[in-house]
Amino acid sequence: MSGVDLGVFARCFPAQAPEPLGRAIADAGFSSVQLNLSAIGLPTIPDAQALADIDLVAVRRDLEAPGLRIWGLSGSYNLAHPDQERAREQTEDAARLIRRAPELGVVAVTLCTGSRNPDDMWRAHPDNDTAEAWADLLRNLGPLLDAAEEADVFLAVEPEPGNVISGTDAAVRLLDELGERASRIGFILDPANLVGETGPDEYETVLRDAFDRLGSRAICVHAKDVVTWDERIAGAAGLDFDLVRALHAALPHPVPVVVQDADPANLAAVRALVLGDA
């Protein structure tokens, strides 16, 4: 995996000011970062007044000082929340943040397509598969797509088993139903999420299908495993990272690989595993 743009979630590190955070990420051997504003002590999606007080240009300058690139910015909230009045308010704040995203130089703002679970936007709920949940997702995407068009950034959608966009089929459906508006949608391919609840014997089939059907719209590959990193480092079975590296290399255009769910104590071992140097 030589030459890959290897990034990391900023939240893998303790929350701190942008300049020391950037140094810590660069010192750990990463060239790019997926930023959540909570990693620098701010709300993930600030309200209007809080956002107006943030100097995002200075954040970028300080974070990128050691040679990093800010690949993406988290704009995650529950688009399919059962309380849609709440979701609409958060949509307004997220759209405002997306319009400011160019100040950070990012390619994409990452989203969560959400769940009907009122307490956890990443947790599955039976109503995620309803027509009403799908309609709410599309309705809330509208203002975000408008903002992304104005800002000239992508909205990064990640198929996740607990969300309305639960897998490859739902992702393809989203593109079909958005039509021309889908030009601002890019997909994060996370192999651990894509295999979902399937058994290990099915992993390769599921991943090849996802990379085949969504690869032309991929903008990032996330690196985590179906077990914790500490378990994997200790020898537990998990994903076939040789396969993941091959699928990444075969994508029609280069995209970064971004490590997730690690911490400073295991990052060196995780980095080696992801790159095939372990």
Side-chain angles (χ1 to χ4, degrees):
M1 220 175 194
S2 60
V4 68
D5 179 6
L6 186 66
V8 66
F9 271 44
R11 290 196 302 167
C12 291
F13 296 81
Q16 56 197 298
E19 189 172 11
L21 176 62
R23 287 199 306 270
I25 293 170
D27 288 347
F30 295 93
S31 54
S32 62
V33 60
Q34 183 171 321
L35 177 64
N36 188 311
L37 291 179
S38 66
I40 56 172
L42 300 169
T44 297
I45 304 178
D47 62 23
Q49 183 56 59
L51 183 61
D53 293 338
I54 300 172
D55 186 347
L56 292 178
V57 174
V59 169
R60 178 184 183 182
R61 180 196 64 224
D62 293 346
L63 192 56
E64 292 186 340
L68 290 178
R69 174 181 74 123
I70 306 175
W71 170 78
L73 172 67
S74 175
S76 296
Y77 67 101
N78 193 345
L79 272 81
H81 197 286
D83 181 352
Q84 278 296 293
E85 182 175 350
R86 171 180 172 178
R88 281 190 289 274
E89 291 174 357
Q90 291 180 309
T91 295
E92 291 180 7
D93 288 337
R96 194 177 296 112
L97 179 64
I98 291 166
R99 289 186 176 91
R100 295 276 307 272
E103 296 170 46
L104 291 168
V106 301
V107 171
V109 176
T110 65
L111 303 179
C112 171
T113 58
S115 172
R116 285 307 208 215
N117 187 302
D119 303 314
D120 188 341
M121 62 181 165
W122 311 108
R123 187 176 299 170
H125 190 281
D127 290 345
N128 287 357
D129 295 330
T130 62
E132 291 78 13
W134 186 267
D136 286 341
L137 167 62
L138 292 184
R139 186 178 307 110
N140 288 317
L141 270 177
L144 305 184
L145 288 165
D146 291 340
E149 185 70 34
E150 290 179 33
D152 193 21
V153 296
F154 286 101
L155 299 181
V157 171
E158 182 176 346
E160 303 216 17
N163 286 169
V164 175
I165 303 298
S166 57
T168 302
D169 288 344
V172 171
R173 178 187 174 189
L174 180 67
L175 294 180
D176 290 343
E177 294 198 14
L178 287 177
E180 291 183 0
R181 300 218 75 193
S183 63
R184 286 292 163 184
I185 299 291
F187 290 111
I188 295 174
L189 302 182
D190 183 321
N193 285 337
L194 289 166
V195 300
E197 303 299 324
T198 61
D201 291 345
E202 299 174 81
Y203 286 178
E204 181 172 354
T205 299
V206 170
L207 292 180
R208 289 191 182 279
D209 177 62
F211 275 71
D212 178 57
R213 289 199 281 159
L214 302 179
S216 66
R217 305 296 292 269
I219 55 174
C220 180
V221 171
H222 275 175
K224 68 172 186 283
D225 211 333
V226 293
V227 295
T228 69
W229 284 122
D230 285 339
E231 290 170 333
R232 181 60 187 269
I233 292 164
L239 291 173
D240 179 354
F241 279 99
D242 286 338
L243 172 63
V244 173
R245 285 189 290 272
L247 292 172
H248 172 263
L251 288 171
H253 49 266
V255 305
V257 175
V258 177
V259 170
Q260 181 178 353
D261 293 350
D263 59 57
N266 63 18
L267 264 175
V270 169
R271 184 179 181 278
L273 178 63
V274 170
L275 291 175
D277 296 334

